[in-house]
Amino acid sequence: SPQLLRVTLGGPELAGFISLGFDDHVKLFFPNPADPHGDPVGRDYTPRRYDAQRQELDIEFVLHGHGPAAAWAAQAAAGQTLRIGGPRGSIVIPTDFDVNVLVGDISAWPAIARRLEELPVGAHAYVIVDVADAADEQSFTSRAEVHVQWLHGDAADSGERLASAVASLSLPAGDAHYWAAGETLAMRQVRLAFVARGAPKAWVKAAGYWRQGAAGAHEPIED
């Protein structure tokens, strides 16, 4: 899409790579634009797909126009190399919840898409994603019953839009797990909306994948 670019990495160096959690992250290392000969710059990304037999790893980059990761992805070509570390560990969320609420901006889509692919028949997924415009809406594959809301608007108001959409959700009965990721301040608002619905805090997980005005931010969002 205009904002999202998938890069496939491959080679025998990927042998033994393991990613068990849909929202795992690996550390990718890029040349430092300020000092190309100095230490590389690390950024966290979701492993979108790994094929052990083909030794292929897909990473999806948001092309936001600045930063070492976006700059590298925009010029990526066959034959180039990229240094990868991790995942250091996985938090595996069971797939037997009756209802799965998945919320985020476009940076969360790789993790959301992985989760939808692993959900079983009979599960319900309610997905809310905030993107720049309709051109960035994504297709997905799932055996679950999936309901998707795509929101569009200014990034500065993303948290308010997403929290309002969460508050308006009509969910079926059953145990529900709530997950959110995206811009840190926006995800704080979303987490509050989850808790306001009465969700047990043990069944709520939120993370900041990036922070407006900061470089390389990646942090869990808790009380």
Side-chain angles (χ1 to χ4, degrees):
S1 73
Q3 281 200 89
L4 206 60
L5 174 70
R6 178 178 295 180
V7 175
T8 300
L9 308 170
E13 297 85 357
L14 287 169
F17 180 87
I18 297 174
S19 175
L20 301 178
F22 72 89
D23 59 353
D24 282 348
H25 60 271
V26 292
K27 185 77 75 174
L28 307 182
F29 296 93
F30 305 94
N32 187 338
D35 184 8
H37 302 291
D39 292 336
V41 176
R43 293 290 186 268
D44 294 308
Y45 276 85
T46 300
R48 174 63 184 87
R49 178 191 67 94
Y50 177 62
D51 186 322
Q53 184 174 3
R54 296 173 64 90
Q55 295 182 325
E56 290 182 349
L57 173 64
D58 288 346
I59 304 289
E60 294 182 348
F61 294 84
V62 178
L63 300 178
H64 44 65
H66 61 276
W72 181 88
Q75 62 77 60
Q80 294 181 344
T81 61
L82 186 65
R83 293 173 59 193
I84 305 172
R88 296 182 63 182
S90 299
I91 298 176
V92 179
I93 299 172
T95 59
D96 58 356
F97 283 95
D98 302 306
V99 179
N100 300 266
V101 179
L102 304 162
V103 178
D105 57 29
I106 196 167
S107 69
W109 181 254
I112 291 173
R114 275 191 65 173
R115 181 61 166 177
L116 294 178
E117 288 172 359
E118 72 185 23
L119 290 176
V121 173
H124 295 263
Y126 290 78
V127 180
I128 307 171
V129 187
D130 197 57
V131 297
D133 55 49
D136 283 308
E137 296 179 8
Q138 304 286 316
S139 59
F140 61 88
T141 301
S142 183
R143 293 168 294 169
E145 182 177 328
V146 181
H147 309 265
V148 181
Q149 293 183 53
W150 294 98
L151 307 181
H152 311 128
D154 192 288
D157 304 319
S158 179
E160 183 177 339
R161 277 194 305 277
L162 289 167
S164 177
V166 168
S168 299
L169 279 176
S170 179
L171 301 178
D175 293 338
H177 187 273
Y178 294 78
W179 181 94
E183 198 281 324
T184 299
L185 299 182
M187 293 307 108
R188 292 190 187 280
Q189 295 181 63
V190 172
R191 187 183 186 281
L192 290 173
F194 287 167
V195 175
R197 292 189 63 98
K201 292 186 179 181
W203 293 353
V204 171
K205 186 179 181 185
Y209 278 3
W210 62 285
R211 182 192 283 266
Q212 191 70 45
H218 190 289
E219 56 192 294
I221 297 173
E222 300 171 340
D223 290 339

